[in-house]
Amino acid sequence: MMASPKALDQFAAAVPLSNLGGINYGSTYSKYMTIEEEVEKVGNAILSSANCTDAASQVDCLRAIPAFELSNLRTTASFLVVDGTYLVSDELDLSKGSKLPFHLMIGTTRDDGAAFIRYPTSTNQSAYLVSLVFDAPSKKLFPLPNIANKTLSLFNMTARLATDGIFRCIDQATAYATLNNDRLSSVYYYEFNRTYQLTGYPKLDVCEPPKSAAHPLGDPNGEYFKCHSGELYYLFGNLAREGLPMRDQHDLPFQQFIVDSFSSFARTYDPNPDPAYLRARGYTNTLRELERAGTWEPATKQLITKRVLQWPSTETLFTELEQCRELELPLDYYSD
């Protein structure tokens, strides 16, 4: 929608959650396909699955299939296509130009790419990376952690590679380009460093906090992978609604803080709720967090900062800049 000329002026603000782009699987989302490329990648397989390949009119054949049945074929078309009307460029154009007519908040979970790779069954790094369609990265910039569990070490390095290559680098570059090219004066950037993984996805033990006698449900303050979709229960206030247990005394106030912050951005284009509003509503947990962690400062052309969302939250600069340059996804990827 941010890239579509038809959508501009139809919305006032955008919050791309874990936007994909860059390399590997992510490349098909922030770099849009031609119609011919989409047909080659998924279209022919859909025609075959729907028994429409040899139809007199393949389009009419597909249109005759109920939408539910069509969307549950073995192959689906989920990639954006340059059709010349709704998308007229092969990626979001963030080169110098007039101010964009919307406000922007964007970010990821800390280890967003971990859910997009399989856990290795051996320590054969070359074979593992080939199976995931990753080139071997720089050993200096993507070292294997020196830990006893060598398969976990390999997963750790590859999760970092996948997170940088598919999420972090392209999203930081997106935010940076809007600022550096004067398309926006500020951007709110975030990174979740506390997550509550969805019960049905990705079903990776490494995405769950470590369990112990003191923390039988897992310790969110311990070290674990903060995987893709791990912010959603918090963001939509669904822990209690889904009947999920609070793992410690901070899960509920953290959820309240996230709901209040994102709701504030939806209301006012600023994720910092008015303290008077919080007092009037009795939202004391969020009020205390704002007083303790300070105002969520936006990234600007002069200072590219992000808010690390944990308990308590912190403010830091954009990260992994060397790694992003190595992956040819530098901070100025979209710049003139």
Side-chain angles (χ1 to χ4, degrees), residues 122-136 154 157:
S122 77
T123 57
N124 187 327
Q125 177 176 325
S126 297
Y128 179 58
L129 291 174
V130 167
S131 73
L132 298 173
V133 201
F134 282 119
D135 294 330
L154 179 55
M157 181 277 290

Side-chain angles (χ1 to χ4, degrees), residues 52 55 57 59 85 110 147-148 162 166-167 187 194 202 210 245 259 273 297:
C52 290
S57 170
V59 172
T85 300
R110 190 195 68 180
I147 57 177
I166 301 174
F167 293 97
V187 174
R194 183 185 182 98
V259 170
E297 298 294 339

Side-chain angles (χ1 to χ4, degrees), residues 11-255:
F11 62 96
V15 188
L17 301 168
S18 298
N19 172 68
L20 293 96
I23 64 173
N24 196 282
Y25 177 73
S27 64
T28 51
Y29 285 89
S30 287
K31 192 76 171 178
Y32 315 137
M33 294 184 182
T34 65
I35 293 174
E36 292 75 18
E37 288 170 337
E38 178 110 352
V39 169
E40 179 66 25
K41 189 168 184 68
V42 293
N44 290 326
I46 291 171
L47 289 169
S48 177
S49 296
N51 296 317
C52 290
T53 301
D54 298 321
S57 170
Q58 294 173 332
V59 172
D60 288 343
C61 180
L62 290 174
R63 284 175 174 162
I65 299 172
F68 179 81
E69 183 179 331
L70 194 62
S71 66
N72 281 280
L73 294 174
R74 289 190 302 275
T75 302
T76 57
S78 58
F79 309 117
L80 297 173
V81 175
V82 181
D83 65 344
T85 300
Y86 293 96
L87 287 176
V88 297
S89 59
D90 66 352
E91 62 185 358
L92 176 63
D93 182 7
L94 291 174
S95 57
K96 289 187 181 296
S98 58
K99 290 285 187 182
L100 294 168
F102 55 80
H103 303 266
L104 180 62
M105 176 193 283
I106 184 172
T108 67
T109 62
R110 190 195 68 180
D111 307 298
D112 234 315
F116 288 73
I117 58 175
R118 299 184 305 278
Y119 194 86
T121 56
S122 77
T123 57
N124 187 327
Q125 177 176 325
S126 297
Y128 179 58
L129 291 174
V130 167
S131 73
L132 298 173
V133 201
F134 282 119
D135 294 330
S138 161
K139 292 181 180 179
K140 178 183 177 182
L141 296 176
F142 293 93
L144 289 167
N146 186 20
I147 57 177
N149 187 333
K150 299 307 179 185
T151 54
L152 179 60
S153 175
L154 179 55
F155 182 85
N156 191 306
M157 181 277 290
T158 311
R160 182 181 185 182
L161 173 63
T163 297
D164 285 352
I166 301 174
F167 293 97
R168 181 180 286 117
C169 295
I170 201 69
D171 286 359
Q172 289 186 162
T174 298
Y176 178 79
T178 65
L179 301 171
N180 193 52
N181 293 338
D182 296 317
R183 304 301 301 277
L184 292 171
S185 57
S186 65
V187 174
Y188 289 97
Y189 197 97
Y190 66 84
E191 182 177 284
F192 274 85
N193 197 36
R194 183 185 182 98
T195 54
Y196 201 123
Q197 202 58 44
L198 299 182
T199 54
Y201 174 86
K203 295 188 175 180
L204 280 173
D205 289 344
V206 292
C207 299
E208 302 292 344
K211 295 180 174 62
S212 65
H215 294 89
L217 300 172
D219 180 8
N221 292 318
E223 185 49 56
Y224 62 104
F225 288 87
K226 318 302 169 56
C227 297
H228 184 68
S229 74
E231 82 280 24
L232 296 180
Y233 283 144
Y234 287 133
L235 178 56
F236 294 103
N238 279 338
L239 289 182
R241 189 177 294 115
E242 295 289 332
L244 297 168
M246 302 298 167
R247 301 165 301 179
D248 66 7
Q249 71 273 29
H250 303 310
D251 261 340
L252 180 59
F254 181 70
Q255 174 183 265

